[in-house]
Amino acid sequence: DTGVSQDPRHKITKRGQNVTFRCDPISEHNRLYWYRQTLGQGPEFLTYFQNEAQLEKSRLLSDRFSAERPKGSFSTLEIQRTEQGDSAMYLCASSSGQVSSYEQYFGPGTRLTVT
Amino acid sequence: TQLLEQSPQFLSIQEGENLTVYCNSSSVFSSLQWYRQEPGEGPVLLVTVVTGGEVKKLKRLTFQFGDARKDSSLHITAAQPGDTGLYLCAGAFHIQGAQKLVFGQGTRLTINP
């Protein structure tokens, strides 16, 4: 059974560098979500894909952030010109395409530290 | 702004005691999900409640959705050290073809042997 996977699990980068994270959803899930979680807080919604289409973006997603899901399978989240405030856990989740399904399943996250 | 308030934020009790965690909002949700998160890991789904007044049980855990679908509670009976962790509630709002989750800040539960 393969759940949601994320790579890398940890990333340490210097301020100003670009970073890219990858998420592989559960194979039959066509909906994919990105969230960000800072220390002591619950996750916050960043963006959502249905297949390859990015249908919703949070105002938290500044122009330094870009997400893609080119073939409707895996997704990437890129942060350009990283800042110390970008340090957080970046979580990916997926859900099925069934209209009645409300359940999102999360990956283990990528912890980003910007020094 | 959509807000979910969880209380208490921290709870430390002895093994065998009962406890209740609350999740409150002024917003109406299409559903509400409870997750448990271990340090350095992603949240793991425990339960989803959909209907106002719905009660679901998962072994010693009882989840209830408020009648107006604005609040929820998690009750643990006879807590065990293995219940230690961060418990998160998340309210779901409809977006284009899916649901966006809004999370509470979490309740960090410690069960002492």
Side-chain angles (χ1 to χ4, degrees), chain A residues 33-77:
Chain A
Y33 313 78
W34 285 98
Y35 291 81
R36 181 172 69 186
Q37 185 177 24
T38 54
L39 205 59
Q41 300 297 319
E44 295 174 291
F45 173 82
L46 292 179
T47 190
Y48 152 66
F49 290 84
Q50 185 169 330
N51 299 311
E52 65 276 5
Q54 187 175 20
L55 297 184
E56 183 92 4
K57 289 169 62 174
S58 164
R59 282 172 288 181
L60 292 175
L61 214 63
S62 76
D63 56 6
R64 295 184 299 105
F65 288 71
S66 62
E68 294 182 342
R69 195 182 182 198
K71 297 181 180 178
S73 56
F74 72 91
S75 175
T76 58
L77 177 67

Side-chain angles (χ1 to χ4, degrees), chain B residues 70-93:
Chain B
K70 293 182 179 181
D71 54 83
S72 182
S73 63
L74 158 60
H75 183 79
I76 301 180
T77 303
Q80 298 178 1
D83 296 329
T84 294
L86 178 68
Y87 290 82
L88 294 160
C89 65
F93 293 92

Side-chain angles (χ1 to χ4, degrees), chain A residues 1-46:
Chain A
D1 175 32
T2 55
V4 179
S5 61
Q6 292 187 245
D7 183 70
R9 293 292 309 275
H10 304 275
K11 179 71 177 179
I12 300 174
T13 191
K14 293 185 177 180
R15 187 176 54 187
Q17 298 295 305
N18 299 343
V19 294
T20 300
F21 310 140
R22 176 180 170 126
C23 170
D24 287 88
I26 294 171
S27 59
E28 63 268 26
H29 286 182
N30 68 345
R31 295 162 181 171
L32 186 147
Y33 313 78
W34 285 98
Y35 291 81
R36 181 172 69 186
Q37 185 177 24
T38 54
L39 205 59
Q41 300 297 319
E44 295 174 291
F45 173 82
L46 292 179

Side-chain angles (χ1 to χ4, degrees), chain B residues 38-110:
Chain B
E38 302 298 332
E41 298 293 330
V44 176
L45 180 66
L46 295 175
V47 78
T48 300
V49 284
V50 178
T51 307
E54 183 175 5
V55 176
K56 282 192 174 179
K57 292 191 175 183
L58 189 65
K59 297 183 181 177
R60 294 176 293 100
L61 279 58
T62 301
F63 303 86
Q64 185 162 5
F65 203 11
D67 290 342
R69 307 205 321 275
K70 293 182 179 181
D71 54 83
S72 182
S73 63
L74 158 60
H75 183 79
I76 301 180
T77 303
Q80 298 178 1
D83 296 329
T84 294
L86 178 68
Y87 290 82
L88 294 160
C89 65
F93 293 92
H94 283 295
I95 54 177
Q96 297 184 61
Q99 294 79 33
K100 176 175 73 173
L101 295 180
V102 174
F103 281 83
Q105 70 271 48
T107 294
R108 187 161 297 282
L109 177 63
T110 303

